[in-house]
Amino acid sequence: MSTLPTFDLLSERVSAGERLSDAELTELATAPDILLIGMLADSARQRLRGSTVTYLRVAPHAVGQDPVAPPDAAHELRVSGEAASLDIALATVGQARHVAGDRTIAGFSWADVARFAQDTGKTAGAVLSSLRDAGLDAVLQVPLDTVGDLEPVLDTLVTAGFRGLRLTVERAPAAERTALLLRVAALQDRYGCIQTLNPLPASLQPFRPTTGYDDVRAVAVARLAAPSIPMIQVDWMRYGPKLAQVALTFGADDLDSVPADDDAPDGRRRAPIEELRRNIVAAGLTPAERDGRFKTVA
């Protein structure tokens, strides 16, 4: 039997900015009907962002790539591929900085930082400081499910000068995500510098696929579990327009990894950016482009 208060009482609390208890969120997350948690998460999104949904256009910069000017539409360069050593990582960031202009550069994961530290005998903080000095603005993946103790990791990132942190999930199955997401509010209360939370796995498991049902539920839990985190993200390239659009009605308010290359051989209306904007508008929301520093640009 459900022990939850009525929907109206829950809605009043969410609309007032109150975080629901872990027990309430867990019960909502396991209920067979996802509409209740979806409506509550949508109320939380509206309180924080109104009708605005932001998106970020990015351009890849591969490890070992010669410097190539990114498309004008790009607002962030993303380092892609695996750097075999810290020296290669530093060289790659330096090459990206050479062509980035005032765009942000994001790349690597916490696992990369730990590997560079182990290989060089340096501390993780020293590795981060050297990457920061080379021009890196953000560590792209700090996964809740593969970083054992997040507090010292966040301490190290903040001490090295990284702000606007981006928390992610690497591969946790649907059944494990709620417990992970419930940890985030306490981290934000302590550090206050988590800017985005992307609750959907970065690595898709072909033999343990998630469902759209599970994914939008995770988005809703993330929004309700962490009302003090400004943005709940969905990766546009990885999850596609259909799931992204539904996720916007379940608490998501930022679309990440939008390609900056806007080729439209079939006409402007079929350009990728126009498709994205149409999807946002069709969900009853207002698109707003942002940069890698989370500032609205259009």
Side-chain angles (χ1 to χ4, degrees):
M1 178 180 293
S2 173
T3 59
L4 287 170
T6 66
F7 173 77
D8 287 344
L9 288 175
L10 290 171
S11 183
E12 286 178 11
R13 290 165 57 194
V14 168
S15 296
E18 181 181 340
R19 182 184 183 274
L20 303 182
S21 71
D22 285 3
E24 289 169 332
L25 288 168
T26 299
E27 185 168 346
L28 284 167
T30 54
D33 183 355
I34 63 171
L35 293 181
L36 176 59
I37 194 171
M39 288 188 289
L40 292 171
D42 191 53
S43 294
R45 179 198 55 75
Q46 290 180 46
R47 182 185 68 82
L48 291 165
R49 305 290 302 279
S51 67
T52 300
V53 170
T54 47
Y55 61 91
L56 174 64
R57 289 199 267 186
V58 304
H61 183 92
V63 171
Q65 171 184 321
D66 291 332
V68 177
D72 290 342
H75 289 289
E76 181 166 278
L77 267 62
R78 293 275 173 90
V79 175
S80 60
E82 182 174 324
S85 68
L86 177 58
D87 286 342
I88 292 174
L90 293 172
T92 299
V93 172
Q95 289 169 342
R97 176 50 61 201
H98 181 70
V99 297
D102 64 353
R103 299 173 181 87
T104 50
I105 299 172
F108 311 109
S109 67
W110 182 257
D112 292 320
V113 173
R115 174 168 57 86
F116 296 150
Q118 183 175 27
D119 291 348
T120 60
K122 297 181 178 181
T123 64
V127 169
L128 286 169
S129 293
S130 62
L131 288 167
R132 182 81 172 161
D133 291 343
L136 189 71
D137 295 290
V139 175
L140 194 55
Q141 294 183 28
V142 182
L144 297 169
D145 53 329
T146 60
V147 175
D149 188 352
L150 275 164
E151 290 194 3
V153 169
L154 297 188
D155 276 331
T156 303
L157 284 162
V158 170
T159 301
F162 289 91
R163 299 292 189 272
L165 302 183
R166 312 173 187 197
L167 297 189
T168 58
V169 170
E170 179 60 31
R171 55 179 175 268
E176 298 175 10
R177 288 188 224 161
T178 296
L180 291 171
L181 296 171
L182 292 177
R183 299 168 55 194
V184 177
L187 292 171
Q188 180 71 335
D189 288 345
R190 175 172 176 179
Y191 294 96
C193 60
I194 302 168
Q195 181 68 30
T196 68
L197 171 59
N198 188 332
L200 302 184
S203 298
L204 303 179
Q205 305 296 312
F207 299 108
R208 298 178 67 185
T210 61
T211 66
Y213 189 91
D214 292 329
D215 290 336
V216 295
R217 187 201 303 272
V219 169
V221 171
R223 179 69 287 164
L224 292 169
S228 57
I229 291 180
M231 295 177 176
I232 302 299
Q233 287 187 330
V234 173
D235 188 307
W236 175 261
M237 281 293 290
R238 182 172 289 112
Y239 282 91
K242 291 183 179 179
L243 188 135
Q245 185 185 53
V246 177
L248 296 178
T249 67
F250 275 72
D253 50 31
D254 187 70
L255 298 176
D256 190 34
S257 299
V258 178
D261 188 351
D262 207 25
D263 290 340
D266 297 322
R268 178 65 185 167
R269 280 184 52 79
R270 294 188 179 274
I273 192 61
E274 293 303 319
E275 179 187 20
L276 176 140
R277 293 176 67 89
R278 282 197 303 272
N279 272 270
I280 295 172
V281 171
L285 301 167
T286 305
E289 188 164 7
R290 68 169 177 87
D291 62 18
R293 297 178 180 87
F294 306 100
K295 304 296 184 183
T296 301
V297 296

